[in-house]
Amino acid sequence: MDRFFARNRLSALVDGELPTNEAREVERAIARNPDLAAEHAALVLTKKLMKKEGAVPAPRGFHARVMTQLASEPPTGSQIAWLRAYLSRIPMEAAVLAAAAVVIGIVIQQRQPPVEAELAKASPSVMAPTKRAKKAKRAAKAKAKAAVVDPTIASLPDNTRSQGAVVPVSGPGTQPQANVPTGRVGYRFLGRGDEVLYEIGTLADQVGGRLVNENGETYRAHSLSEIRNFVRAFLVFPTNQAGTVHTKLRRQSGQVPHQIQGATPTVLADESVVLIEVER
Amino acid sequence: MGVSPQATGQADAELVRRIRLGEREAFGELVRRYQDGIYTLCLRWLGDSAVAEEIAQDTFVAAYRAMDRFRGEAKLSTWLYSIAINRCKNRLDHDKRRARERHESLDVDPDRVRELTSKGPKTDSRTHRSEAMRLLQAALDELEAPFRTVVVLRDIQDMAYEEIAALLDLPIGTVKSRIHRARLDLARLLAGKIGPEDVLD
């Protein structure tokens, strides 16, 4: 065994961690080499010193101080201890995300004062809902619903509405324009990819429109297999159907339309176009 | 001293079972069993008796709070030492950060800067029963933390290589080489200052 090899095994020898054969070889190397022997002696001395002087008893009163500190702790296994242990296991990131979600929820709620706000006006009491409050809530809900559906539907026979059909309007100027945004806009649909595309294809059929790509090439509305690979399509429709189309798209996307940039397909003078983006 | 030879795995398991049933006295027994070992580890790591006591106490309080999470996969002693080691590391990091901040706020005072940026923890004279002990702590203070840790665990706490490797999440070869280098450094630092008479019982 060479000196280098033996030197690297001195500590293991001191710890009694070398296999017998290796230990004998290292001991023979030590016997032959005074430097190695001196190093070995120094290591033995150091280890003995650590053993003898290294350990220090805990200060007097340590045990009592720890137990005093623990006196204010809930007993292990109690529900409070369990809850604290459980909470401490929740990663900080998750806690931050949850807090952020709550804040965002509050902000969204404040920015879109819906039925509840009207309900609050109708019934200022913060106590448990009374008959009057419940009635006001129903009225507010009905009012809110009426505000988002196509007003033309209200005048249609019930059987038409129940089928979910979007009825074409007879001519220009008869369509309410309150829900029609200005400029080039698009709608984003999060999830429900194929289902959304099918509904929009149906809508296109119903209003006499079509789904096209950026170059104006038409997708047949019900040929979902053809548009399945696309998450961007343009819905081209007669401008006099704008109210119906936007009302439907708002309802389906759950969003207001956003302004879009970039190229849009060329359409006729009496046509409009919206971008449809679908997350599949 | 340190972990009692009678503190077998079975005894520890029984202790843990009683603690989980809410027996505070059982936890008192655990403190009695491990207080010297934990305090020694903290003292040898941090070098200051007051800070070591504070960290050792924190270790036991943290262990009490986390006892429901102790699954018994590691030895109880290993689990306790890992809590203590984490706390010692955090304390040293905290002290270093503070020293750096203070260093940055000092204009020109080379002596003060030297004092604040010295490598190891400060040796506390109150903890030394003998000159040899003082010399040993001074030498330990000179070691880098990774080397000080392994040699303390091995030579003072009597931990096996495998146990140290598991505790520090290191390959066993790294543990061996660090112990070897730590001992060589200690031997060099103590050369001429201690002799065989210092280690006689």
Side-chain angles (χ1 to χ4, degrees):
Chain A
M1 181 178 283
D2 65 27
R3 186 175 175 279
F4 178 80
F5 193 77
R7 187 172 187 259
N8 279 333
R9 276 156 181 72
L10 286 180
S11 261
L13 179 72
V14 169
D15 286 334
E17 295 276 350
L18 280 183
T20 315
N21 290 349
E22 244 179 78
R24 281 184 191 145
E25 280 191 63
V26 177
E27 281 164 355
R28 277 198 290 272
I30 290 169
R32 285 196 304 270
N33 189 319
D35 288 347
L36 213 53
E39 206 163 279
H40 177 250
L43 290 179
V44 170
L45 190 64
T46 304
K47 184 177 166 74
K48 282 184 178 170
L49 184 71
M50 286 284 279
K51 191 77 192 156
K52 180 171 180 251
E53 302 288 351
V56 184
R60 190 173 298 171
F62 178 88
H63 182 271
R65 285 191 286 278
V66 171
M67 296 314 286
T68 303
Q69 222 174 322
L70 292 180
S72 59
E73 294 286 322
T76 51
S78 69
Q79 286 187 338
I80 295 173
W82 177 85
L83 181 63
R84 185 157 56 192
Y86 177 78
L87 291 175
S88 71
R89 281 200 291 270
I90 298 175
M92 183 59 77
E93 293 83 357
V96 169
L97 281 176
V102 169
V103 170
I104 289 168
I106 290 169
V107 168
I108 288 172
Q109 199 170 14
Q110 284 176 345
R111 288 184 61 169
Q112 297 179 338
V115 176
E116 286 74 10
E118 292 194 35
L119 179 62
K121 280 183 198 167
S123 173
S125 168
V126 293
M127 303 302 285
T130 60
K131 277 186 180 176
R132 185 175 160 231
K134 284 178 183 171
K135 191 177 175 186
K137 188 175 180 178
R138 276 198 300 274
K141 272 188 177 171
K143 190 176 173 185
K145 194 177 175 186
V148 293
V149 297
D150 187 339
T152 60
I153 295 176
S155 62
L156 296 171
D158 279 350
N159 60 346
T160 313
R161 266 181 284 160
S162 64
Q163 288 164 10
V166 178
V167 176
V169 176
S170 54
T174 60
Q175 182 70 27
Q177 298 295 305
N179 285 331
V180 178
T182 55
R184 294 185 306 168
V185 298
Y187 290 87
R188 288 198 183 100
F189 296 84
L190 306 177
R192 301 193 305 124
D194 288 346
E195 190 185 339
V196 166
L197 286 171
Y198 181 83
E199 286 170 1
I200 292 169
T202 305
L203 174 64
D205 273 356
Q206 288 170 341
V207 298
R210 61 192 182 280
L211 277 169
V212 300
N213 66 15
E214 284 181 356
N215 300 320
E217 295 159 346
T218 305
Y219 301 115
R220 286 193 303 278
H222 293 288
S223 302
L224 291 179
S225 59
E226 290 184 33
I227 59 172
R228 184 159 289 161
N229 295 327
F230 292 87
V231 291
R232 279 168 61 89
F234 292 91
L235 173 60
V236 179
F237 55 92
T239 302
N240 62 7
Q241 297 291 336
T244 301
V245 168
H246 285 289
T247 299
K248 188 91 173 176
L249 292 176
R250 276 177 205 244
R251 200 188 320 166
Q252 285 182 337
S253 67
Q255 296 172 359
V256 293
H258 60 276
Q259 299 293 319
I260 60 168
Q261 306 289 328
T264 54
T266 306
V267 296
L268 300 174
D270 59 348
E271 287 182 327
S272 299
V273 61
V274 291
L275 172 65
I276 306 294
E277 291 173 302
V278 180
E279 184 192 76
R280 301 178 72 95
Chain B
M1 180 79 250
V3 180
S4 153
Q6 288 77 38
T8 61
Q10 271 187 335
D12 279 348
E14 172 60 15
L15 207 52
V16 170
R17 191 189 64 77
R18 286 172 51 208
I19 293 166
R20 281 185 178 153
L21 289 174
E23 274 188 54
R24 217 180 280 266
E25 184 44 46
F27 194 82
E29 204 177 318
L30 178 146
V31 175
R32 234 172 261 119
R33 192 176 286 180
Y34 289 107
Q35 62 181 7
D36 292 344
I38 295 292
Y39 175 72
T40 295
L41 178 68
C42 296
L43 177 65
R44 292 308 178 206
W45 197 317
L46 301 165
D48 182 294
S49 60
V51 178
E53 182 176 350
E54 180 194 326
I55 299 297
Q57 280 188 30
D58 278 356
T59 298
F60 284 111
V61 172
Y64 184 79
R65 288 175 179 167
M67 192 50 81
D68 288 334
R69 275 181 278 166
F70 176 66
R71 295 277 168 256
E73 288 145 4
K75 285 166 67 179
L76 180 61
S77 58
T78 306
W79 183 65
L80 288 171
Y81 284 125
S82 69
I83 297 173
I85 286 171
N86 281 333
R87 273 168 166 64
C88 287
K89 277 182 187 168
N90 290 344
R91 181 58 182 239
L92 277 185
D93 288 347
H94 173 259
D95 288 352
K96 277 182 191 168
R97 265 199 310 277
R98 282 193 62 192
R100 247 197 322 271
E101 285 162 10
R102 289 170 66 191
H103 183 182
E104 282 163 7
S105 70
L106 294 173
D107 290 327
V108 181
D109 186 352
D111 291 340
R112 187 90 183 100
V113 169
R114 248 195 313 280
E115 179 194 335
L116 292 171
T117 56
S118 64
K119 186 161 66 179
K122 302 285 171 294
T123 300
D124 177 2
S125 60
R126 286 170 297 171
T127 62
H128 306 309
R129 292 170 299 187
S130 68
E131 177 64 6
M133 201 179 196
R134 190 191 66 76
L135 289 169
L136 176 64
Q137 182 64 53
L140 282 170
D141 290 353
E142 287 296 311
L143 298 186
E144 299 284 353
F147 298 96
R148 185 164 60 239
T149 311
V150 290
V151 80
V152 166
L153 292 174
R154 173 70 203 184
D155 287 349
I156 301 178
Q157 311 293 3
D158 271 337
M159 278 193 184
Y161 288 173
E162 293 79 5
E163 211 177 339
I164 298 170
L167 179 62
L168 301 176
D169 197 18
L170 290 172
I172 200 159
T174 306
V175 171
K176 285 180 184 175
S177 65
R178 283 188 186 177
I179 288 172
H180 183 58
R181 186 179 143 186
R183 283 201 191 125
L184 287 177
D185 285 349
L186 283 177
R188 178 179 52 77
L189 290 162
L190 294 168
K193 296 175 187 168
I194 61 159
E197 67 282 1
D198 292 307
V199 296
L200 293 176
D201 287 330

